[in-house]
Amino acid sequence: MKRKDIKTMFWISFIVSMFFFFAFTEEKNLENFVLTIFISLLYTFILGGGNGLLNSFLNKKLPWSEETSKRAVISIISVIIVNVILVYFCNYINFVLIQKAATTEEYFSGKYNFANWFTINVALLISSFLHAKSFMQELKKTSRKEVVEQKLIAKSANAQFESLKNQLDPHFLFNSLNVLSSLIDENPNQAQKFTASMSKIYRYVLEQKDKEMVTVEDEIEFAKTYCDLLKTRFEDSVDFIFDVKKEDYRKFVVPLSLQLLLENCIKHNFATSSKPLVIRIFAENDILCIENNLQVREQIKESSGIGLANIVQRYSLLTKRNVFIEKSEDYFKVKLPMLVDKPNIVSEKQDDDIKAYKKAQKRMKEIKDFYINLISYCIVIPFLIFINIFTKSSFHWFWFPVFGWGIGVASHAFQVFGVGESWQEKKIREIMNNQKNNNDGKI
């Protein structure tokens, strides 16, 4: 137990003892003053300290953030049992050993049942406050942790995306310079034209590389310009076929994906006039396909795979739809998903995390409302009992709110921790999993 908690309990004990001494003690002398303080300290440190230790123990074994429902049920059961034991122990020391107002037989015969019951309610109030405070602290801590984690996820995704996009510049420049160096030896005049055209294309690269997605129309137009450059070098050794419908032009793909795939086709296949390399770009079912006849050239050095890997990773950050690669003895095909809506950099996985976080927040609010209800019950009911008894009314009307409100609190507890929405969701998931397993078994 922390020093701060001990000081707090001491001051609470002192204030309570002053209240009872001046309000209820008939003989106000030093002996009764000291006795009142001692009894107050007895109750405060045994009940408050006992509940504090119980709460600390449960926090270590069953943290609120990890097993909320289980923790709530065990807390309610353990709090009732512990407080009943502590109250009987404190009242026994007070009435039998200190005040000597009753013998042990009289105490356990039922003479002090009302005093025990009233004290138990006060102890439950103290315990409810401690557990509610612990829950609120854990809620605040968990919320702060979730916010930090979401920020880290977003920053990590942005950093990864920027890193992938920054690969485009050197990759494009390197391959273009390779083409240019070949043309300088083979055809200097064509090399000059290539240089002029390359500057236009590179301008497009600089404009588009910072975008997450571009329209299919922009990408197709850029690819056609790039293909013209390739035709400049390879002439009739390479043929390009574009077959994309106008209705697909407003859809989205990752920028420079076609350029990277066209480079791969040229890089990994040989092309001659007698055996031209045919590259076909077409759309089918929201998929943009780049297909070429397979004429694999021998590679002196193994390919780094930066181009295709870059496309796959950038798609993974933007959508759950995958990039597919098909390869046979005759052709090689890459399928790029075309997206109807332009997604944000935050991936769908992160959206799922945010939804889960909001759902957890809602769950925390439900538990918080329950504990507010329970604390209110523990505060108001003893107060009503005190008024009923203090006015010496022969009609014990306090039983009506005790049972009426008590049923409401019990119902609230079952709704939050037992048979509420969470239970229904678990049951739905269980049924769906069983159906899925049955269907898998039939396949």
Side-chain angles (χ1 to χ4, degrees):
M1 189 176 296
K2 298 178 181 179
R3 184 179 298 179
K4 181 181 177 181
D5 296 331
I6 296 174
K7 287 182 179 179
T8 301
M9 286 195 293
F10 177 80
W11 283 111
I12 291 173
S13 176
F14 182 76
I15 293 170
V16 172
S17 63
M18 292 298 100
F19 173 75
F20 276 97
F21 179 75
F22 289 106
F24 298 102
T25 304
E26 296 180 0
E27 297 183 15
K28 295 178 175 58
N29 52 44
L30 180 62
E31 182 181 351
N32 286 338
F33 178 74
V34 174
L35 182 63
T36 303
I37 292 178
F38 177 76
I39 293 173
S40 180
L41 288 170
L42 172 73
Y43 279 93
T44 301
F45 277 87
I46 290 180
L47 294 179
N51 280 287
L53 291 173
L54 174 63
N55 187 49
S56 298
F57 174 77
L58 291 176
N59 283 340
K60 291 179 181 178
K61 297 296 181 180
L62 295 170
W64 283 108
S65 58
E66 296 179 7
E67 300 183 77
T68 306
S69 300
K70 186 177 180 181
R71 165 66 190 272
V73 173
I74 292 178
S75 292
I76 292 171
I77 296 172
S78 59
V79 162
I80 293 173
I81 294 174
V82 168
N83 279 287
V84 168
I85 295 172
L86 292 178
V87 165
Y88 268 85
F89 176 72
C90 289
N91 283 344
Y92 179 82
I93 294 176
N94 181 22
F95 296 122
V96 178
L97 301 181
I98 298 176
Q99 297 189 39
K100 297 182 179 178
T103 63
T104 302
E105 290 78 12
E106 289 175 337
Y107 177 75
F108 287 106
S109 66
K111 183 179 179 180
Y112 287 91
N113 280 350
F114 178 78
N116 289 330
W117 183 83
F118 183 82
T119 312
I120 287 170
N121 277 277
V122 176
L124 289 175
L125 167 63
I126 296 171
S127 184
S128 298
F129 173 77
L130 289 172
H131 282 267
K133 180 182 177 184
S134 171
F135 170 75
M136 292 304 296
Q137 289 175 342
E138 188 71 19
L139 173 63
K140 190 180 294 183
K141 181 181 176 182
T142 303
S143 299
R144 195 179 294 118
K145 182 180 178 182
E146 290 286 348
V147 170
V148 171
E149 286 180 353
Q150 290 301 322
K151 287 182 178 179
L152 289 175
I153 289 172
K155 287 181 179 179
S156 175
N158 275 296
Q160 187 179 0
F161 197 82
E162 289 300 321
S163 175
L164 288 170
K165 288 192 296 187
N166 288 336
Q167 291 178 3
L168 296 176
D169 284 343
H171 187 263
F172 172 80
L173 185 60
F174 176 76
N175 285 281
S176 299
L177 290 175
N178 276 344
V179 175
L180 182 60
S181 64
S182 299
L183 280 176
I184 290 172
D185 294 332
E186 295 174 6
N187 193 332
N189 291 330
Q190 290 292 347
Q192 289 181 357
K193 294 179 181 179
F194 185 90
T195 303
S197 299
M198 193 179 78
S199 65
K200 296 178 182 178
I201 292 178
Y202 198 73
R203 185 181 298 112
Y204 176 86
V205 173
L206 294 176
E207 290 173 353
Q208 303 297 334
K209 80 176 186 67
D210 290 327
K211 298 179 180 179
E212 291 98 22
M213 304 292 284
V214 294
T215 62
V216 172
E217 182 179 11
D218 289 342
E219 194 69 7
I220 291 291
E221 291 302 317
F222 169 72
K224 287 180 178 178
T225 305
Y226 187 71
C227 289
D228 289 339
L229 288 184
L230 294 176
K231 286 288 287 183
T232 300
R233 178 187 173 189
F234 294 100
E235 298 178 346
D236 58 350
S237 298
V238 179
D239 288 328
F240 299 97
I241 301 172
F242 287 87
D243 186 16
V244 180
K245 297 178 181 178
K246 295 290 184 181
E247 53 263 31
D248 291 322
Y249 273 19
R250 306 318 303 167
K251 296 175 183 178
F252 296 91
V253 292
V254 296
L256 306 175
S257 53
L258 289 183
Q259 181 258 330
L260 289 171
L261 293 175
L262 289 169
E263 284 182 2
N264 276 355
C265 293
I266 300 297
K267 181 179 178 181
H268 297 296
N269 296 274
F270 67 85
T272 63
S273 299
S274 58
K275 287 187 177 181
L277 179 66
V278 180
I279 301 174
R280 183 167 168 250
I281 300 170
F282 60 98
E284 58 178 22
N285 300 325
D286 287 335
I287 295 174
L288 186 63
C289 302
I290 299 88
E291 180 183 284
N292 66 274
N293 56 322
L294 207 60
Q295 299 179 162
V296 182
R297 70 169 65 183
E298 295 182 5
Q299 299 286 337
I300 300 174
K301 186 174 70 173
E302 188 176 349
S303 171
S304 61
I306 289 178
L308 190 55
N310 182 288
I311 296 171
V312 171
Q313 290 181 61
R314 280 192 292 155
Y315 264 107
S316 69
L317 288 171
L318 294 167
T319 178
K320 286 184 177 179
R321 296 178 63 187
N322 296 320
V323 175
F324 289 100
I325 301 169
E326 291 183 10
K327 184 177 181 181
S328 70
E329 294 181 357
D330 301 321
Y331 71 90
F332 183 86
K333 182 192 294 185
V334 178
K335 296 181 177 181
L336 301 178
M338 291 189 295
L339 307 181
V340 178
D341 297 317
K342 192 174 182 179
N344 295 321
I345 183 63
V346 180
S347 66
E348 292 182 25
K349 179 180 182 300
Q350 294 174 36
D351 289 337
D352 293 341
D353 291 338
I354 292 171
K355 289 178 182 178
Y357 172 59
K358 289 182 178 179
K359 190 175 180 181
Q361 274 189 320
K362 181 182 177 183
R363 176 67 175 157
M364 288 293 188
K365 186 178 182 300
E366 291 175 354
I367 299 172
K368 175 185 173 183
D369 292 341
F370 166 72
Y371 274 102
I372 291 174
N373 190 10
L374 179 61
I375 292 171
S376 301
Y377 178 83
C378 294
I379 292 175
V380 175
I381 293 301
F383 179 72
L384 294 178
I385 295 172
F386 177 77
I387 292 176
N388 193 186
I389 302 300
F390 186 75
T391 55
K392 298 181 180 178
S393 174
S394 58
F395 177 62
H396 290 172
W397 48 263
F398 65 81
W399 289 111
F400 293 101
V402 167
F403 286 109
W405 195 353
I407 292 172
V409 172
S411 176
H412 197 173
F414 278 111
Q415 184 180 2
V416 174
F417 302 113
V419 294
E421 185 179 349
S422 60
W423 178 85
Q424 295 176 23
E425 290 179 355
K426 289 179 182 176
K427 210 64 183 172
I428 290 171
R429 283 197 297 269
E430 183 181 335
I431 294 172
M432 291 177 66
N433 289 333
N434 289 336
Q435 290 178 348
K436 183 179 178 181
N437 292 333
N438 291 335
N439 291 334
D440 291 342
K442 294 176 182 178
I443 295 175

